[in-house]
Every structure is written in structure tokens, then in C-alpha cells.
Amino acid sequence: MSRCVLDNREHEVVIGWDPGICSFFVQVLHLGADEPFIWKGNGGSTFDTPDPLIDIAERYGSPFDRNVLRQELLKDQAGQLERNYSVHGTEVW
């Protein structure tokens, strides 16, 4: 599973690719919370493109370049990659 972390001062945001269910996903939590208040792409609904989930990440996560994040997520999907990273502006960490 890939996990791109886009946390900010108010929210913990994780977006990535889950090869087990063949879906992109996004989770949004209030800082310090145990359960996400938004969780898309978790079995009940699957996403074969990341775009609707990137929309959610843009509302709650730290600033990032949408095209860079999309390219990284599509790499994760194509290569079935398991990695943790962050996108800050146009840089991947």
C-alpha cells in the first residue's frame, strides 16, 4: 500500500493506492483523532482514478501541486508500490 501524507495544523490526511482492493483511498482525521471523519476508497466504494480523492485532499491537506501528486499516485498504482512519502508544493519527500 502506498501512503502520501499531507498533514497540516488541523488535519491528518493520507492518500494512496491499496493494491489489495485495487483502489485509491483518502483518509482525513482531526489531529489526534483515532478515526477518520472522511474515508473514501475503503471497500464499499472503490476508485480507479485518484482525481476525486485529490479534490478532498486539497480541501484538508497541506498545500501541494495537484499534478505532482496525481503522477506519484499513478506510479504507485502502475508499479503496485508500497511506500510512504509526502508532497510539499512540487517536491516529493
Side-chain angles (χ1 to χ4, degrees):
M1 174 181 307
S2 72
R3 295 173 39 92
C4 179
V5 179
L6 304 165
D7 294 352
N8 64 27
R9 293 181 182 169
E10 297 177 31
H11 301 103
E12 297 176 23
V13 179
V14 177
I15 186 169
W17 170 252
D18 185 341
I21 61 171
C22 296
S23 180
F24 291 101
F25 68 90
V26 67
Q27 295 178 330
V28 182
L29 297 86
H30 295 291
L31 281 182
D34 293 329
E35 297 292 323
F37 66 92
I38 296 174
W39 189 351
K40 303 285 185 180
N42 61 332
S45 60
T46 58
F47 294 84
D48 58 358
T49 64
D51 301 301
L53 305 177
I54 292 172
D55 292 342
I56 294 169
E58 281 182 318
R59 282 186 271 160
Y60 296 99
S62 61
F64 60 88
D65 183 295
R66 180 184 184 91
N67 291 325
V68 170
L69 177 59
R70 186 175 196 283
Q71 289 173 345
E72 292 301 315
L73 291 169
L74 292 174
K75 278 190 225 176
D76 296 344
Q77 179 188 36
Q80 301 297 314
L81 299 178
E82 293 187 26
R83 63 181 180 142
N84 291 309
Y85 59 98
S86 294
V87 176
H88 298 273
T90 60
E91 294 189 31
V92 179
W93 296 354

